Amino acid sequence: MNTLKISAFLLLACLIVSCSSTEKEMKETNIYATDTHSYAMPNEAVAKHLMLAIDVNFDKKIITGTATYTIESTNATEIVFDAKNLKIHKTTVDGKEVEFTLGTNDVVLGQPLSIPIKGNSKKVAIHYETTDKTEALQFLNPQQTADKTHPFLLTQGQAILTRTWIPIQDSPQLRLTYSAKVKVPKDLLAIMSAENPKAKSDDGHYNFEMKQPISPYLIALAVGDLVYKEISPRTGVYAEKSMIDKVHYEFGDMEKMVNAAESLYGAYAWDQFDVVVVPPSFPFGGMENPRLTFATPTVIAGDRSLTSLVAHELAHSWSGNLVTNATWDDFWLNEGFTVYFEMRIMEALYGKEYANMLASIGRQDLAEEIENFKDSPEATHLKLDLKGKNPDDGMNSIAYDKGYLFLRTLEEKVGREKMDVFLKEYFNKHAFSTMTTEKFVTYLHTELLAKNNVEFNTDIWIYKAGIPENASKIVSDKFQNVENAIIEWQNGTLNEADLCKKNWNIQQKIHFIRNIPKDISIEKFTALDNACNFSNATNSYIAMVWFEQSINHDYHANNVDAQIENFLMTVGRRWYVSTLYKAFKRNDKLEEAKRIYDKARSNYHSVTVNTIDEMLGVSY
Ligand code: BES
Ligand code: ZN
């Protein structure tokens, strides 16, 4: 706003005294980066607060209502929002109806929605409803929930889907505060990425407030027959009744995680940290919606073995939600920092060895991803150029695991103490603001490298392909044991029964299964399953990697085919299902993949559908 005022002043000055450099100066005072994934022109007019008033209609599977924005502008004559597959009924400016314009539709970006304003316009209201093409919303029938008694609604905003359920200036750099009035059927609870109710209201009306400015992709809503159970005064879980106790146990370390995170990088800025476990069709493991992380039920393993996911989403409360990637080209600033932070939280709670195993799995994923991109090496840059592409295309293991490796290597170079001082100050100084890669590089150089007289190949890491030669080496003795066991098993000195008796933790089991030799005989593979019963694993991660190997090894015993099909019918987590469909495809079993997908597709969220449609080359 200050900058807007300065721009207005410069313009006024230009009218009074003719000044040739004014235009240039005005450009230099523009505060927002160019975001090729949003039509908004925030340097002209920008929304600062959203008041949402909506009604969730489960019969029609739509949301209807009004988004009213408090805006700031210079001398702009219009304000531009992003809208995709929305029906816009009417727009008003300070209470007076005005004629809006919807521009041409782009399959990825949607449409620009332009509303005429004057210099002193304050409130812009958009009356709208969603359509059956909304990509953010997933309306689930009772059968798709845990309790099977009530319907459920969930939203997913990242990366550019918020515009499919709210007309909004949908760029991550455009933070805004919001309040919401949400009306739902009265037997359901509504919760948002905001201050939340802990129990149902009598009449299905709920009011929300998010007082801190957040990015549009972090606006989220879940509606279902949910209950709340506290873990500590500031942490707790929402889940359906039949799951709440299991979920409460699974995430029992949440307060400890928040404490560990705060000791590392400063106070938790969002007061409350709750997690809602949503139905299994949710396309992600977790989503860091502020104050209310969304999590897949596939991490409820019964033994707290998959809770690094919570550490990850919690870490986003700093890297992502507090300091936010300015554009999706800078996505690694969100995810790479978060993986680094996640590992530090896991190390603080469960030790270095454990965190190192997690890191080592990520390192293998990275090697695989780099191999996948061997024909488009620029996709392995940290800083991306996603212009003209769907930002989803950039959301792969490069941002996560190469981003992590960069920070880990940097930490090794400067020492942990200096690294932590630097990161704490980075979050503190840039809290509630956004970051471009270029701004980060400058900040890194002055505040860490130059200050400590350290040379580091930052530009190569960020702007070049592949993994630089100075990358940190991740070694784990516990993984070495697993690798030795595989060799012994392969050469016959270790039998399957003894293998299964090994007291391995989850990471070791995953490492083992993922590294089963390609050429192992089907007899040995079958004997392994007979002894360890992997085909009936209750841990979703173990099941998933075992199913992948079963497909690779053309293995069909122990009912594994039915198990795979059942898994793909119920779970919609993109990472899991895409791993399995990819395995079918790679192994010339495309027909089998299509047969299952044809039945399962309607259970998946649009995010997963888009990925798998493309992967299998189908259109519906
Ligand atoms: N913010 C991401 C999920 C996401 C990324 C949604 C890109 C839309 C676009 C979230 O924090 C995440 O990374 N989830 C991971 C979990 C994790 C432990 C790496 C997932 O869903 O698997
Ligand atoms: Zn993440």
Side-chain angles (χ1 to χ4, degrees):
M1 357 63 273
N2 276 341
T3 318
L4 285 166
K5 279 187 192 138
I6 294 166
S7 310
F9 170 75
L10 284 172
L11 189 83
L12 199 67
C14 189
L15 293 174
I16 300 165
V17 201
S18 91
C19 44
S20 59
S21 64
T22 305
E23 240 183 58
K24 184 169 161 273
E25 284 175 56
M26 276 191 66
K27 283 223 178 72
E28 281 169 3
T29 58
N30 284 353
I31 36 175
Y32 299 108
T34 305
D35 180 350
T36 56
H37 297 111
S38 169
Y39 292 110
M41 298 194 290
N43 294 310
E44 308 290 321
V46 66
K48 287 294 180 178
H49 179 78
L50 160 66
M51 211 185 75
L52 193 65
I54 52 172
D55 194 309
V56 180
N57 186 327
F58 277 88
D59 295 327
K60 292 192 185 153
K61 301 196 162 127
I62 56 168
I63 285 179
T64 53
T66 313
T68 306
Y69 291 99
T70 310
I71 65 158
E72 287 176 5
S73 75
T74 49
N75 58 333
T77 54
E78 59 170 6
I79 180 161
V80 184
F81 295 90
D82 296 290
K84 192 176 179 194
N85 296 325
L86 291 175
K87 267 190 216 156
I88 309 294
H89 295 310
K90 171 173 119 172
T91 56
T92 68
V93 175
D94 296 324
K96 282 205 196 72
E97 185 162 354
V98 295
E99 202 169 312
F100 62 87
T101 320
L102 270 171
T104 34
N105 186 50
D106 177 277
V107 283
V108 177
L109 304 179
Q111 295 168 284
L113 166 64
S114 310
I115 300 173
I117 53 167
K118 300 205 179 75
N120 59 355
S121 298
K122 289 278 170 308
K123 292 240 189 297
V124 174
I126 307 165
H127 300 250
Y128 73 99
E129 69 181 67
T130 61
T131 63
D132 58 0
K133 290 209 191 69
T134 171
E135 290 161 89
L137 303 182
Q138 195 179 16
F139 281 96
L140 300 165
N141 58 45
Q143 217 40 44
Q144 291 171 289
T145 67
D147 291 0
K148 320 234 178 277
T149 54
H150 292 76
F152 201 101
L153 167 69
L154 58 87
T155 68
Q156 168 59 39
Q158 199 178 14
I160 55 168
L161 301 182
T162 300
R163 65 189 67 175
T164 74
W165 75 284
I166 308 173
I168 195 164
Q169 293 188 308
D170 198 6
S171 171
Q173 62 188 323
L174 305 181
R175 310 182 83 97
L176 77 181
T177 51
Y178 79 85
S179 57
K181 285 184 193 307
V182 180
K183 163 91 173 62
V184 302
K186 72 173 183 316
D187 51 348
L188 301 179
L189 176 70
I191 46 180
M192 292 192 79
S193 51
E195 211 171 316
N196 272 316
K198 293 194 170 153
K200 284 178 198 160
S201 67
D202 294 333
D203 57 2
H205 282 96
Y206 296 92
N207 292 318
F208 302 93
E209 182 105 35
M210 169 42 84
K211 294 197 183 88
Q212 289 127 316
I214 62 167
S215 294
Y217 73 90
L218 295 171
I219 301 175
L221 169 69
V223 183
D225 187 20
L226 293 163
V227 289
Y228 183 74
K229 195 163 176 181
E230 176 180 308
I231 289 171
S232 70
R234 61 168 171 176
T235 68
V237 288
Y238 289 91
E240 292 179 63
K241 271 188 234 81
S242 65
M243 290 189 71
I244 191 72
D245 290 329
K246 270 198 247 165
V247 169
H248 186 260
Y249 170 76
E250 202 77 29
F251 297 156
D253 277 343
M254 247 157 64
E255 173 62 36
K256 283 189 207 146
M257 285 184 179
V258 182
N259 270 319
E262 288 191 311
S263 334
L264 283 165
Y265 302 129
Y268 178 73
W270 309 89
D271 303 325
Q272 189 73 22
F273 180 70
D274 292 329
V275 176
V276 57
V277 173
V278 295
S281 63
F282 186 57
F284 296 103
M287 179 64 214
E288 66 273 23
N289 300 313
R291 299 180 67 115
L292 182 67
T293 280
F294 284 27
T296 168
T298 61
V299 294
I300 311 303
D303 58 3
R304 300 188 175 178
S305 58
L306 303 178
T307 54
S308 62
L309 178 108
V310 175
H312 178 96
E313 305 313 334
L314 170 65
H316 274 305
S317 304
W318 286 259
S319 44
N321 298 0
L322 206 54
V323 184
T324 310
N325 53 205
T327 75
W328 299 115
D329 290 347
D330 308 299
F331 182 58
W332 78 278
L333 291 177
N334 271 20
E335 296 299 342
F337 279 64
T338 294
V339 174
Y340 177 82
F341 197 168
E342 169 197 344
M343 297 303 162
R344 297 294 305 274
I345 295 170
M346 293 307 282
E347 182 183 322
L349 261 72
Y350 311 110
K352 224 185 175 88
E353 177 78 57
Y354 191 85
N356 230 20
M357 283 187 266
L358 279 171
S360 181
I361 299 243
R363 183 66 187 81
Q364 285 175 54
D365 291 339
L366 178 59
E368 251 173 55
E369 198 75 297
I370 288 184
E371 177 63 21
N372 292 340
F373 284 129
K374 62 175 183 297
D375 297 328
S376 46
E378 66 293 338
T380 70
H381 296 185
L382 284 176
K383 163 85 185 189
L384 295 170
D385 180 7
L386 296 168
K387 188 172 181 189
K389 295 189 184 146
N390 191 323
D392 244 30
D393 294 354
M395 298 179 173
N396 51 58
S397 136
I398 301 297
Y400 290 79
D401 298 317
K402 185 176 171 182
Y404 166 73
L405 196 59
F406 163 69
L407 291 167
R408 179 183 168 120
T409 306
L410 189 61
E411 181 206 309
E412 278 180 9
K413 178 84 185 180
V414 299
R416 183 166 273 195
E417 212 174 305
K418 291 198 174 83
M419 184 76 177
D420 283 351
V421 170
F422 167 74
L423 284 177
K424 192 168 179 177
E425 191 54 18
Y426 170 73
F427 292 129
N428 182 33
K429 235 191 191 133
H430 303 102
F432 299 107
S433 72
T434 51
M435 187 57 62
T436 60
T437 300
E438 295 69 26
K439 193 166 150 194
F440 168 73
V441 169
T442 307
Y443 184 77
L444 170 70
H445 189 80
T446 50
E447 297 303 318
L448 185 66
L449 302 178
K451 227 177 218 172
N452 297 298
N453 228 335
V454 172
E455 294 262 334
F456 196 77
N457 53 345
T458 316
D459 284 359
I460 293 180
W461 272 94
I462 294 175
Y463 300 110
K464 293 271 186 293
I467 303 171
E469 87 303 324
N470 64 331
S472 162
K473 305 264 181 297
I474 305 175
V475 284
S476 154
D477 290 346
K478 292 215 158 146
F479 274 12
Q480 195 55 57
N481 294 341
V482 172
E483 287 153 33
N484 293 341
I486 291 175
I487 295 170
E488 290 168 30
W489 174 50
Q490 200 174 12
N491 67 25
T493 50
L494 177 66
N495 68 33
E496 289 79 17
D498 289 336
L499 237 177
C500 300
K501 279 194 216 112
K502 289 202 179 276
N503 201 12
W504 283 343
N505 68 19
I506 177 84
Q507 307 308 332
Q508 289 176 294
K509 287 179 186 159
I510 296 294
H511 188 59
F512 170 72
I513 297 172
R514 295 209 322 172
N515 288 286
I516 293 173
K518 276 201 179 66
D519 57 356
I520 203 87
S521 72
I522 195 73
E523 289 75 26
K524 272 180 122 51
F525 197 86
T526 311
L528 180 69
D529 195 22
N530 290 341
C532 308
N533 202 15
F534 287 138
S535 288
N536 296 303
T538 51
N539 184 299
S540 67
Y541 194 8
I542 293 185
M544 191 274 285
V545 292
W546 175 256
F547 294 159
E548 184 188 19
Q549 290 291 21
S550 299
I551 299 167
N552 287 343
H553 288 86
D554 204 14
Y555 174 68
H556 303 281
N558 284 335
N559 213 24
V560 71
D561 293 336
Q563 295 284 31
I564 293 174
E565 186 163 334
N566 181 45
F567 189 89
L568 289 169
M569 287 296 291
T570 46
V571 174
R573 186 177 180 183
R574 181 168 64 176
W575 169 41
Y576 279 8
V577 304
S578 64
T579 303
L580 297 183
Y581 286 118
K582 211 186 290 164
F584 278 125
K585 192 175 161 181
R586 194 176 52 232
N587 290 285
D588 294 325
K589 296 173 183 169
L590 196 58
E591 288 318 307
E592 175 69 350
K594 285 184 182 168
R595 186 187 65 76
I596 299 175
Y597 183 53
D598 189 52
K599 290 199 284 177
R601 189 176 183 272
S602 64
N603 292 336
Y604 299 157
H605 187 277
S606 73
V607 159
T608 301
V609 165
N610 288 341
T611 302
I612 309 299
D613 276 2
E614 195 188 319
M615 180 186 290
L616 302 183
V618 294
S619 59
Y620 280 77

